[in-house]
Amino acid sequence: MTKIKIVLLSPPSRLEVYQSLSGDLAAIEPPVWAGLIAEFLRNKDIDVHIIDSEAMGFNHEEAAKEVTKFDPELVVFVVYGQQPSASTQCMPGAAKTANILRKLSSVPTLVMGTHSSALPLRTLQQEPYDFVCQGEGPYTVYELYQYLTGQIKINDVSGLWFKEKGLYKNNPVKDKIKSLDLELPRQALDLLDMSKYRAHNWHCFDDLSSRNSYASLQTSLGCPYKCSFCCINAPFGGAGIRYWTPNNVLEQIDEMVLKYNVKNIKIPDEMFVLNKNHVIEICDGIIERGYKLNIWAYARVDTIKDYYLLKLKKAGFNWLGIGIESGSKFVRDGVEKGRFDLPEIKSIVNKIREHGIYVAANYIFGLPDDTKDTMQETLELALDLNTEWANFYSAMAYPGSPLYEEALSKKIPTPDLNGGPGWIGYSQHAFNCMPLPTETLEYTEVLDFRDIAFNSYFKSSSYLSMIKNKFGDSVVEHVNEMTSYNLPRAHKAG
């Protein structure tokens, strides 16, 4: 038996979260936070191991049994998802694994992630973990290990929620890490099997055969904006953004390219195209190196400038994800996303594409002010823009978002309350998906419209014709395969 001090576990969730889409069509994301924390711990001379259940194809029992092979002092359930708001929907899979592990071992368990930071007390009360982390996590993990090995007292473990003598207690959250370069310098990629990861299908429309040459790279933490539907800042204690230096980012890219032969890179920063010097210096560094990369990152309609686009394209940023959200300015205003109008949206999308960069547009149905008419406006805008990719979401009141607090105060049904399906109801693709209702729409109407919109868009002749012209027949066949899956929904089950 191999003795490891700390195991970082990324638990299995894909089957429940994505249903039939959990197969080859879905991406397999590297566990960025687990990688960062692993390197943080190694720099403190702690032996650490990462178990990425999704990449290894483990089910819940297999993941739990894998943990026991290492006889650790501590197991950390690192519960994030494929996008920043996906932590909540991964909680059921994590809990199932933790319950199995409890039967196999007495090893102490800690859970961390966006969800547990948003609802630490409830997580401790209702979920099968010994400890809960509130906040970023690296120091909580390290200090909890120190406590478990008799080096410090439990009250000295920052950001920790625990139960003592029947009482629920918590310690103050540590200040946010100031120097990301020094304290979280890189991901421990050598602890992962990098051949197991797979890019999003659309990310590789130019070369679908390259999807397994893939990595994900964080260049900043947090977001300065305060969109009411977003929970990204729950671990960080509020709005704000911190950066790794461009030199650090470029060194990480060097490792990905030169050591692991990575071609496709996702930058999951909530907002990458924002800080001019940060973006330009990273782009210039990639251009100087001559790497032929295929990168995607997030931007906002109001952060796109010509000087960005020229550099981004030359550096290999072939895709930009844009949060359009709604075709109605009134609806966008209601979620603090209304600083731009439709002509500006169309102009920016066209400008991006004129520079040879593809657009992945994001839309949300069922925002608080939505009606059937405004949702139809959103669909018509999506069809009009006809971007190379589009994500259609139903509005969710994710724990940690202002929308969640509003839903609670107004007694609006959410998946975790009032006899709902629980945390899995926050998954857009799950059988028990349960988005927010609006004043005029039941949640089932919102979900049905979302599903109809998805098929209307990806089956439209305009979209398929554009895809054929840009990417060829093989990608059209791939899209047709994707739309051949009809996701079962609980409210339609007979």
Side-chain angles (χ1 to χ4, degrees):
M1 181 179 292
T2 305
K3 179 67 174 178
I4 290 287
K5 295 176 181 177
I6 298 177
V7 167
L8 303 173
L9 174 63
S10 180
S13 297
R14 291 173 63 211
L15 186 59
E16 295 98 332
V17 168
Y18 293 104
Q19 297 193 80
S20 57
L21 294 177
S22 64
D24 292 343
L25 288 173
I28 302 176
E29 294 274 4
V32 174
W33 263 107
L36 289 169
I37 292 174
E39 186 67 9
F40 173 88
L41 294 170
R42 291 200 299 194
N43 287 339
K44 297 186 180 300
D45 297 320
I46 296 176
D47 294 325
V48 62
H49 182 72
I50 299 174
I51 298 174
D52 186 355
S53 305
E54 304 288 27
M56 300 309 295
F58 291 153
N59 61 28
H60 308 289
E61 184 174 4
E62 290 167 338
K65 287 181 177 178
E66 187 72 11
V67 169
T68 64
K69 294 180 181 179
F70 298 94
D71 189 26
E73 304 277 357
L74 172 66
V75 178
V76 182
F77 284 72
V78 187
V79 186
Y80 287 92
Q82 297 203 11
Q83 31 102 351
S85 56
S87 177
T88 293
Q89 67 198 43
C90 295
M91 291 297 286
K96 190 180 294 187
T97 307
N99 278 318
I100 296 171
L101 180 60
R102 275 192 165 178
K103 297 176 182 178
L104 300 175
S105 170
S106 60
V107 59
T109 55
L110 170 75
V111 63
M112 64 168 293
T114 305
H115 179 94
S116 58
S117 281
L119 300 175
L121 176 59
R122 188 169 168 192
T123 300
L124 184 61
Q125 290 172 331
Q126 299 179 359
E127 305 287 338
Y129 308 100
D130 299 301
F131 304 100
V132 173
C133 169
Q134 182 181 18
E136 292 180 328
Y139 280 98
T140 304
V141 174
Y142 172 58
E143 290 164 3
L144 179 57
Y145 168 77
Q146 289 183 302
Y147 161 70
L148 293 172
T149 53
Q151 301 174 60
I152 62 174
K153 296 179 180 179
I154 194 167
N155 293 336
D156 296 325
V157 182
S158 57
L160 188 72
W161 287 72
F162 57 99
K163 192 173 182 180
E164 187 176 71
K165 296 180 180 178
L167 299 176
Y168 295 104
K169 297 184 177 182
N170 68 291
N171 300 331
V173 176
K174 199 176 189 72
D175 290 342
K176 290 186 285 190
I177 292 173
K178 291 182 174 61
S179 176
L180 300 179
D181 280 24
L182 290 176
E183 298 181 77
L184 294 174
R186 61 185 287 278
Q187 299 175 59
L189 299 181
D190 56 299
L191 297 182
L192 305 173
D193 183 344
M194 292 299 292
S195 69
K196 300 289 187 183
Y197 298 101
R198 184 169 63 225
H200 294 266
N201 57 345
W202 52 267
H203 185 181
C204 298
F205 272 0
D206 273 323
D207 182 9
L208 285 171
S209 67
S210 73
R211 290 179 67 193
N212 286 99
S213 176
Y214 180 54
S216 186
L217 173 64
Q218 202 91 33
T219 81
S220 68
L221 293 179
C223 180
Y225 298 101
K226 299 178 181 179
C227 300
S228 68
F229 52 81
C230 185
C231 61
I232 179 64
N233 282 314
F236 310 129
I241 190 166
R242 290 160 291 154
Y243 295 94
W244 278 270
T245 63
N247 282 340
N248 176 280
V249 172
L250 291 166
E251 287 175 2
Q252 292 187 68
I253 291 175
D254 288 339
E255 180 183 16
M256 290 173 175
V257 173
L258 301 177
K259 186 174 181 179
Y260 297 103
N261 197 30
V262 166
K263 174 184 177 183
N264 305 298
I265 296 176
K266 171 185 174 180
I267 295 182
D269 301 20
E270 186 69 6
M271 194 50 53
F272 176 70
V273 182
L274 180 65
N275 180 309
K276 181 179 179 181
N277 291 338
H278 184 72
V279 173
I280 297 301
E281 287 185 41
I282 290 172
C283 287
D284 283 342
I286 296 172
I287 293 166
E288 289 170 8
R289 286 160 168 77
Y291 294 151
K292 301 300 181 184
L293 299 174
N294 175 36
I295 308 172
W296 80 269
Y298 290 108
R300 275 175 60 109
V301 169
D302 51 359
T303 66
I304 294 293
K305 310 295 179 187
D306 282 321
Y307 54 76
Y308 283 140
L309 296 174
L310 290 166
K311 290 283 188 180
L312 288 166
K313 179 59 182 176
K314 195 170 182 181
F317 284 79
N318 294 323
W319 290 86
L320 287 179
I322 306 293
I324 295 172
E325 322 310 0
S326 174
S328 165
K329 188 175 187 302
F330 176 70
V331 173
R332 293 197 304 277
D333 283 340
V335 291
E336 301 186 37
K337 194 87 183 210
R339 299 191 183 110
F340 35 83
D341 55 22
L342 291 186
E344 185 179 0
I345 291 171
K346 293 178 181 181
S347 173
I348 290 298
V349 168
N350 288 334
K351 183 177 291 189
I352 294 169
R353 297 169 90 178
E354 285 168 2
H355 282 81
I357 298 174
Y358 308 130
V359 175
N362 297 309
Y363 304 96
I364 303 176
F365 300 110
L367 290 167
D369 294 316
D370 254 329
T371 64
K372 283 188 177 179
D373 288 341
T374 58
M375 291 197 304
Q376 184 63 36
E377 285 181 51
T378 301
L379 175 55
E380 289 172 0
L381 174 62
L383 291 167
D384 182 36
L385 292 176
N386 199 32
T387 57
E388 290 80 5
W389 185 257
N391 290 309
F392 295 105
Y393 300 109
S394 304
M396 295 282 184
Y398 292 108
S401 71
L403 211 52
Y404 185 73
E405 298 305 319
E406 180 181 336
L408 292 182
S409 67
K410 293 182 178 180
K411 299 187 182 334
I412 298 172
T414 57
D416 53 308
L417 300 174
N418 305 316
W423 303 129
I424 195 62
Y426 285 90
S427 169
Q428 301 285 341
H429 303 94
F431 178 71
N432 288 308
C433 177
M434 184 182 170
L436 279 175
T438 72
E439 288 187 8
T440 61
L441 300 167
E442 299 292 330
Y443 87 84
T444 53
E445 295 178 281
V446 173
L447 184 57
D448 287 346
F449 192 95
R450 179 268 163 206
D451 289 348
I452 290 168
F454 178 89
N455 283 308
S456 297
Y457 187 87
F458 287 105
K459 291 183 178 181
S460 73
S461 58
S462 295
Y463 178 76
L464 292 174
S465 176
M466 179 267 294
I467 290 297
K468 180 177 180 178
N469 291 335
K470 290 192 175 185
F471 304 111
D473 289 331
S474 63
V475 175
V476 172
E477 291 174 10
H478 182 84
V479 171
N480 287 335
E481 179 189 359
M482 179 185 72
T483 55
S484 69
Y485 293 95
N486 290 315
L487 288 173
R489 301 296 195 184
H491 70 279
K492 290 184 175 181

